[in-house]
Structures are given as C-alpha cells and as structure tokens.
Amino acid sequence: MTRPIIAITMGDPAGVGPEIIMKSLAHADLYARCRPLVIGDAARLREAAAIVGNTVAVRPVKEVGEAAFRHGEADCIDLALLAPDHPFGRVSAASGEAAYRYIARAVELAVDGKIDAICTAPLNKEALHAAGHPFPGHTEMLAALTGTPEVSMMLVAPNLRVIHVTTHIGLLDAIRKIEPGLVERTIERAYDTMVRAGIADPRIGVCAINPHAGENGLFGYGEEEEKIVPAVRSQQARGRRVEGPLPADTLFFRAARGDFDIVVAMYHDQGHGPIKVMGIEAGVNITVGLPVIRTSVDHGTAFDIAGKGIADERSMLEALRQAADLATERN
C-alpha cells in the first residue's frame, strides 16, 4: 500500500507550530503511516529543531517530487517568507501573511492531486486579519480557497467525536443561523464521515440548544421544535439511528461512555468544551465537506510558550495519524 503524502502547513511562525512539527517528525513510526511534507520556511524549522533539541535535519525542496520522505529529515517546500530575526510569541502581519500563504500553497498541491491530505499547525486570527485575510479561522479559509460553499468542523478526542452545526460566530448569531436544513446537512456529513471511517450504522446524538432540551417550552422560545426536530425526523425516516434533540449535558456523558458514535453540537463552545476536557493533548480538528482531507491540532498558537521548546506535540501527531488514516481509506 502506498503511504499517503500529508502536507503539513507550518501555521503562524511566531507560535508553537514549527516546534511541534519538528518534534512530531522525530517519531519514526509516523513514516510507516505516511509521507510528511512541510509547507513553510526551512530556516524557521531549523531554528525550531535547535530549540527543541532534536537532530532532524531540514531538507528544502521546491516540488513534491523532490522530497525523499526519510525519517531523520524534514522535507520542506520552502516559501522563505520570514526575516531571519522573526520573533516568537508576537502578533504580526508578516506572520499572518506567511500562515495564509502556507495554506494557499497546500491547497494548490491538493487540487493538483500532488498530495493526499493537509494537516495544519495553528494560526493566529489577529495576525491573519492584520495581513488582510479576514477569515475566522482555518475552516472558513479552506472553504473559500477550495470554493466549497459549506463545511463542518469535527473534533475528535479519546472516546468522543463532535461535529458542529455552527462554529466561529457569536451565540445569538448561531441561534439565528441554525435551521432545519443546516442541521440535517450537518447530520448527513456526520453520517457519511462515520461510514467512511468503517462504522456502517452509526449512532448519532443531536444536542438541543436550550437547557433540558427546552423542557417542553419552559426554556427558550421553541427552538428545538422549530430548528432541530424536523431534521432529526427526516433522518429517522431514512432509517438512520439519530436521536435528539437531547440535553447536551447528559448527551456528552452518554457519548463518552459509548452510547453514540458522534455528537452533533449546535454551537462552538457546546462542542469544544467537552472535547477539551476529554483530552486536549490528543484532540484533533477535522474539516468535513472539503474536496481535500484536512486535519489539525485542537489548540492554538500558544504564544506564551512559543520558542521555549516545551510545546506538546501529541495533538499534532494524532492529527497526522488521522490524516493518514483518512487518506488511506479514501484512496
């Protein structure tokens, strides 16, 4: 079986991305699963290797075909965007522009069929905006760059998977945006993703918006009945094992103990909170609905510890493994 080529975008170069990439590429078992290729700045990767104290050599290449994919070497399509003294731990337009261009190059390679998946190190939204790219995050940027009208964010942690109906918008805006069609399309993406992952008849739990799922109209203004119930009933009519809307507090407990294969969360914090409690170090962010596989770490740029060599690479390693597994299944 041919190992998939995974493009690793370096993220915001002032954050922990370069360090967790170099730490991850020191793991020999990763190369048994995939062929990793960094899209970034070779000089920054060398600096990160020195900071974390590993012996992985950085090997600049211009094209995918030049990469050797050998353990002990980090193949890097070197965009050479950064000044030699680029600081760690600071927001800057230069960092935001670099992060954007790493992603844009990875998308080009994916569209051309030269890579099998993208795995992203974290970016900083303030830096991205300062560079003139007003995206809320990676998910929306990737959707725009690939011309995809609608995608979903899925988070995976040990014993829990969550897909989101809405993500990077305020709570009042999220409630306004939620409607039966969007909820049903999100359930569809959850179902399809689970089937591709080898779960033939997935059990899907759908969160309510209000406490106690509205308590028969006691809480809220009938949002569950108006916005969620039609989507759940439509899926049930197709013979799918979908339950909801269910109170989020008990639903996440039941999902963690194994009653459901995936949870459909209505808004950002409803889904992110339980995932991060279950294991932020091994959490993975997967964008569902793109024409290319994309996974990411489930943490930010961590400017407070960037450049200190102490960032934990476990989420990056798990994101790479998930990307490799998904790419192998698709191929």
Side-chain angles (χ1 to χ4, degrees):
M1 182 182 296
T2 302
R3 293 169 297 144
I5 298 174
I6 310 298
I8 310 169
T9 57
M10 204 171 73
D12 189 304
V16 296
E19 295 164 76
I20 60 175
I21 288 170
M22 294 308 291
K23 283 186 173 183
S24 296
L25 295 181
H27 291 256
D29 63 316
L30 180 64
Y31 286 77
R33 288 174 174 258
C34 67
R35 291 175 286 171
L37 174 66
V38 184
I39 314 293
D41 271 64
R44 191 59 151 188
L45 293 177
R46 290 192 185 98
E47 187 177 1
I51 289 169
V52 302
N54 75 19
T55 59
V56 175
V58 178
R59 185 172 177 270
V61 298
K62 293 182 179 179
E63 302 292 340
V64 176
E66 298 175 10
F69 305 115
R70 292 188 292 258
H71 178 240
E73 294 179 344
D75 294 301
C76 174
I77 292 184
D78 184 15
L79 301 193
L81 300 173
L82 304 175
D85 58 350
H86 194 80
F88 281 99
R90 296 183 193 172
V91 174
S92 73
S95 287
E97 181 62 26
Y100 175 82
R101 289 176 63 180
Y102 303 149
I103 287 288
R105 183 62 182 277
V107 168
E108 289 176 7
L109 294 173
V111 170
D112 291 342
K114 295 180 179 178
I115 62 170
D116 298 296
I118 299 171
C119 181
T120 59
L123 52 73
N124 181 278
K125 296 176 182 64
E126 185 180 351
L128 191 68
H129 293 183
H133 304 292
F135 296 102
H138 268 122
T139 303
E140 296 81 4
M141 188 195 314
L142 285 159
L145 287 170
T146 59
T148 307
E150 188 175 278
V151 297
S152 295
M153 176 187 291
M154 185 171 85
L155 301 180
V156 179
N159 303 319
L160 187 61
R161 303 180 189 92
V162 182
I163 193 168
H164 294 70
V165 175
T166 67
T167 50
H168 296 119
I169 55 177
L171 185 54
L172 292 178
D173 293 329
I175 293 170
R176 280 191 288 266
K177 185 176 180 179
I178 296 165
E179 50 86 19
L182 178 57
V183 174
E184 183 159 16
R185 292 191 299 275
T186 306
I187 296 172
E188 282 280 345
R189 285 188 280 271
Y191 177 87
D192 291 344
T193 302
M194 291 298 93
V195 170
R196 287 200 302 272
I199 301 171
D201 189 18
R203 300 160 299 167
I204 302 172
V206 180
C207 287
I209 295 172
N210 294 298
H212 300 191
E215 196 78 78
N216 296 317
L218 182 62
F219 305 126
Y221 298 92
E223 289 88 355
E224 280 73 26
E225 196 67 29
E226 173 192 348
K227 297 171 177 286
I228 302 173
V229 169
V232 171
R233 287 179 178 166
S234 176
Q235 289 291 301
Q236 290 171 339
R238 298 178 63 181
R240 293 176 177 173
R241 293 198 287 173
V242 180
E243 291 185 39
L246 299 171
D249 51 359
T250 54
L251 172 52
F252 280 107
F253 168 77
R254 292 179 59 194
R257 77 179 182 188
D259 292 0
F260 296 97
D261 298 300
I262 189 167
V263 172
V264 178
M266 291 296 125
Y267 52 89
H268 184 282
D269 284 13
Q270 187 180 59
H272 278 60
I275 282 284
K276 293 189 176 183
V277 168
M278 293 296 291
I280 190 171
E281 301 90 350
V284 176
N285 181 338
I286 302 172
T287 306
V288 179
L290 291 171
V292 60
I293 292 163
R294 179 260 173 166
T295 67
S296 180
V297 295
D298 186 28
H299 60 72
T301 49
F303 279 172
D304 58 326
I305 62 169
K308 298 179 181 178
I310 59 175
D312 192 317
E313 78 273 26
R314 282 179 289 176
S315 184
M316 173 58 79
L317 267 176
E318 187 58 31
L320 285 163
R321 290 167 181 153
Q322 292 271 357
D325 290 347
L326 290 168
T328 300
E329 289 159 8
R330 175 178 283 188
N331 291 340

mmCIF file of all heavy atoms in Angstrom, residues 65-87:
data_model
loop_
_atom_site.group_PDB
_atom_site.id
_atom_site.type_symbol
_atom_site.label_atom_id
_atom_site.label_comp_id
_atom_site.label_asym_id
_atom_site.label_seq_id
_atom_site.Cartn_x
_atom_site.Cartn_y
_atom_site.Cartn_z
ATOM 1 N N GLY A 65 7.870 16.215 -5.863
ATOM 2 C CA GLY A 65 8.666 15.127 -6.428
ATOM 3 C C GLY A 65 10.105 15.092 -5.960
ATOM 4 O O GLY A 65 10.790 14.071 -6.123
ATOM 5 N N GLU A 66 10.594 16.179 -5.368
ATOM 6 C CA GLU A 66 11.970 16.218 -4.871
ATOM 7 C C GLU A 66 12.101 15.671 -3.455
ATOM 8 O O GLU A 66 13.217 15.446 -2.975
ATOM 9 C CB GLU A 66 12.488 17.657 -4.888
ATOM 10 C CG GLU A 66 12.549 18.281 -6.275
ATOM 11 C CD GLU A 66 12.962 19.737 -6.216
ATOM 12 O OE1 GLU A 66 13.375 20.209 -5.130
ATOM 13 O OE2 GLU A 66 12.866 20.423 -7.249
ATOM 14 N N ALA A 67 10.987 15.472 -2.774
ATOM 15 C CA ALA A 67 11.023 15.024 -1.378
ATOM 16 C C ALA A 67 11.484 13.582 -1.275
ATOM 17 O O ALA A 67 11.147 12.746 -2.118
ATOM 18 C CB ALA A 67 9.652 15.186 -0.742
ATOM 19 N N ALA A 68 12.276 13.280 -0.249
ATOM 20 C CA ALA A 68 12.799 11.924 -0.043
ATOM 21 C C ALA A 68 11.970 11.134 0.960
ATOM 22 O O ALA A 68 11.977 9.905 0.946
ATOM 23 C CB ALA A 68 14.249 11.994 0.429
ATOM 24 N N PHE A 69 11.288 11.811 1.874
ATOM 25 C CA PHE A 69 10.420 11.177 2.879
ATOM 26 C C PHE A 69 11.182 10.157 3.717
ATOM 27 O O PHE A 69 10.739 9.027 3.917
ATOM 28 C CB PHE A 69 9.203 10.522 2.218
ATOM 29 C CG PHE A 69 8.396 11.462 1.362
ATOM 30 C CD1 PHE A 69 8.296 11.260 -0.016
ATOM 31 C CD2 PHE A 69 7.742 12.553 1.919
ATOM 32 C CE1 PHE A 69 7.561 12.113 -0.802
ATOM 33 C CE2 PHE A 69 7.001 13.423 1.125
ATOM 34 C CZ PHE A 69 6.902 13.203 -0.242
ATOM 35 N N ARG A 70 12.356 10.555 4.204
ATOM 36 C CA ARG A 70 13.162 9.686 5.054
ATOM 37 C C ARG A 70 13.101 10.155 6.497
ATOM 38 O O ARG A 70 13.217 11.363 6.770
ATOM 39 C CB ARG A 70 14.623 9.679 4.586
ATOM 40 C CG ARG A 70 14.869 9.024 3.243
ATOM 41 C CD ARG A 70 16.376 8.909 2.984
ATOM 42 N NE ARG A 70 16.989 10.221 2.791
ATOM 43 C CZ ARG A 70 17.315 10.726 1.600
ATOM 44 N NH1 ARG A 70 17.088 10.033 0.495
ATOM 45 N NH2 ARG A 70 17.892 11.913 1.517
ATOM 46 N N HIS A 71 12.944 9.196 7.418
ATOM 47 C CA HIS A 71 12.995 9.566 8.834
ATOM 48 C C HIS A 71 14.367 10.152 9.151
ATOM 49 O O HIS A 71 15.399 9.666 8.688
ATOM 50 C CB HIS A 71 12.747 8.345 9.717
ATOM 51 C CG HIS A 71 12.846 8.664 11.173
ATOM 52 N ND1 HIS A 71 13.758 8.055 12.004
ATOM 53 C CD2 HIS A 71 12.168 9.565 11.943
ATOM 54 C CE1 HIS A 71 13.636 8.556 13.222
ATOM 55 N NE2 HIS A 71 12.673 9.469 13.215
ATOM 56 N N GLY A 72 14.345 11.231 9.923
ATOM 57 C CA GLY A 72 15.580 11.936 10.237
ATOM 58 C C GLY A 72 15.778 13.176 9.407
ATOM 59 O O GLY A 72 16.698 13.970 9.670
ATOM 60 N N GLU A 73 14.920 13.342 8.379
ATOM 61 C CA GLU A 73 14.957 14.533 7.537
ATOM 62 C C GLU A 73 13.548 15.113 7.422
ATOM 63 O O GLU A 73 12.586 14.364 7.234
ATOM 64 C CB GLU A 73 15.469 14.215 6.134
ATOM 65 C CG GLU A 73 16.912 13.772 6.084
ATOM 66 C CD GLU A 73 17.357 13.457 4.660
ATOM 67 O OE1 GLU A 73 16.482 13.289 3.779
ATOM 68 O OE2 GLU A 73 18.571 13.366 4.445
ATOM 69 N N ALA A 74 13.421 16.421 7.519
ATOM 70 C CA ALA A 74 12.140 17.098 7.332
ATOM 71 C C ALA A 74 12.132 17.747 5.963
ATOM 72 O O ALA A 74 12.790 18.776 5.745
ATOM 73 C CB ALA A 74 11.924 18.150 8.421
ATOM 74 N N ASP A 75 11.465 17.119 5.008
ATOM 75 C CA ASP A 75 11.316 17.729 3.685
ATOM 76 C C ASP A 75 10.426 18.954 3.815
ATOM 77 O O ASP A 75 9.351 18.888 4.427
ATOM 78 C CB ASP A 75 10.677 16.738 2.709
ATOM 79 C CG ASP A 75 11.574 15.544 2.420
ATOM 80 O OD1 ASP A 75 12.695 15.760 1.940
ATOM 81 O OD2 ASP A 75 11.142 14.408 2.684
ATOM 82 N N CYS A 76 10.842 20.073 3.233
ATOM 83 C CA CYS A 76 10.094 21.323 3.372
ATOM 84 C C CYS A 76 10.039 22.065 2.042
ATOM 85 O O CYS A 76 11.096 22.409 1.491
ATOM 86 C CB CYS A 76 10.733 22.220 4.437
ATOM 87 S SG CYS A 76 9.988 23.863 4.560
ATOM 88 N N ILE A 77 8.836 22.287 1.532
ATOM 89 C CA ILE A 77 8.675 23.222 0.424
ATOM 90 C C ILE A 77 8.853 24.605 1.021
ATOM 91 O O ILE A 77 7.998 25.103 1.759
ATOM 92 C CB ILE A 77 7.319 23.052 -0.269
ATOM 93 C CG1 ILE A 77 7.274 21.701 -1.001
ATOM 94 C CG2 ILE A 77 7.045 24.201 -1.237
ATOM 95 C CD1 ILE A 77 6.029 21.450 -1.805
ATOM 96 N N ASP A 78 10.000 25.192 0.735
ATOM 97 C CA ASP A 78 10.465 26.390 1.433
ATOM 98 C C ASP A 78 9.970 27.653 0.726
ATOM 99 O O ASP A 78 10.465 28.003 -0.345
ATOM 100 C CB ASP A 78 11.996 26.367 1.490
ATOM 101 C CG ASP A 78 12.577 27.525 2.275
ATOM 102 O OD1 ASP A 78 11.812 28.182 3.008
ATOM 103 O OD2 ASP A 78 13.788 27.758 2.153
ATOM 104 N N LEU A 79 9.002 28.341 1.339
ATOM 105 C CA LEU A 79 8.498 29.582 0.762
ATOM 106 C C LEU A 79 9.361 30.782 1.145
ATOM 107 O O LEU A 79 9.213 31.856 0.550
ATOM 108 C CB LEU A 79 7.046 29.814 1.187
ATOM 109 C CG LEU A 79 6.036 28.723 0.798
ATOM 110 C CD1 LEU A 79 4.616 29.226 1.000
ATOM 111 C CD2 LEU A 79 6.235 28.243 -0.632
ATOM 112 N N ALA A 80 10.232 30.615 2.143
ATOM 113 C CA ALA A 80 11.223 31.637 2.520
ATOM 114 C C ALA A 80 10.591 33.023 2.662
ATOM 115 O O ALA A 80 11.027 33.995 2.049
ATOM 116 C CB ALA A 80 12.359 31.671 1.488
ATOM 117 N N LEU A 81 9.592 33.121 3.510
ATOM 118 C CA LEU A 81 8.836 34.366 3.675
ATOM 119 C C LEU A 81 9.293 35.203 4.862
ATOM 120 O O LEU A 81 8.917 36.374 4.962
ATOM 121 C CB LEU A 81 7.345 34.029 3.847
ATOM 122 C CG LEU A 81 6.679 33.283 2.683
ATOM 123 C CD1 LEU A 81 5.257 32.885 3.075
ATOM 124 C CD2 LEU A 81 6.673 34.132 1.434
ATOM 125 N N LEU A 82 10.072 34.639 5.761
ATOM 126 C CA LEU A 82 10.344 35.298 7.040
ATOM 127 C C LEU A 82 11.717 35.945 7.089
ATOM 128 O O LEU A 82 12.693 35.434 6.519
ATOM 129 C CB LEU A 82 10.245 34.278 8.177
ATOM 130 C CG LEU A 82 8.929 33.511 8.298
ATOM 131 C CD1 LEU A 82 9.039 32.469 9.398
ATOM 132 C CD2 LEU A 82 7.772 34.462 8.572
ATOM 133 N N ALA A 83 11.793 37.060 7.795
ATOM 134 C CA ALA A 83 13.088 37.684 8.080
ATOM 135 C C ALA A 83 13.860 36.807 9.062
ATOM 136 O O ALA A 83 13.262 36.097 9.878
ATOM 137 C CB ALA A 83 12.882 39.079 8.660
ATOM 138 N N PRO A 84 15.194 36.853 9.017
ATOM 139 C CA PRO A 84 15.993 35.976 9.896
ATOM 140 C C PRO A 84 15.723 36.178 11.379
ATOM 141 O O PRO A 84 15.871 35.235 12.170
ATOM 142 C CB PRO A 84 17.433 36.355 9.538
ATOM 143 C CG PRO A 84 17.349 36.916 8.161
ATOM 144 C CD PRO A 84 16.031 37.620 8.076
ATOM 145 N N ASP A 85 15.336 37.374 11.788
ATOM 146 C CA ASP A 85 15.125 37.658 13.207
ATOM 147 C C ASP A 85 13.635 37.669 13.580
ATOM 148 O O ASP A 85 13.247 38.296 14.569
ATOM 149 C CB ASP A 85 15.757 38.997 13.575
ATOM 150 C CG ASP A 85 15.199 40.162 12.739
ATOM 151 O OD1 ASP A 85 14.471 39.892 11.755
ATOM 152 O OD2 ASP A 85 15.505 41.325 13.058
ATOM 153 N N HIS A 86 12.824 36.959 12.824
ATOM 154 C CA HIS A 86 11.381 36.957 13.096
ATOM 155 C C HIS A 86 11.119 36.454 14.521
ATOM 156 O O HIS A 86 11.555 35.353 14.884
ATOM 157 C CB HIS A 86 10.656 36.062 12.087
ATOM 158 C CG HIS A 86 9.172 36.262 12.082
ATOM 159 N ND1 HIS A 86 8.560 37.310 11.435
ATOM 160 C CD2 HIS A 86 8.177 35.551 12.668
ATOM 161 C CE1 HIS A 86 7.250 37.228 11.606
ATOM 162 N NE2 HIS A 86 6.995 36.170 12.349
ATOM 163 N N PRO A 87 10.432 37.231 15.352
ATOM 164 C CA PRO A 87 10.289 36.858 16.772
ATOM 165 C C PRO A 87 9.246 35.769 17.005
ATOM 166 O O PRO A 87 8.319 35.600 16.218
ATOM 167 C CB PRO A 87 9.848 38.163 17.423
ATOM 168 C CG PRO A 87 9.088 38.877 16.342
ATOM 169 C CD PRO A 87 9.804 38.528 15.060
#
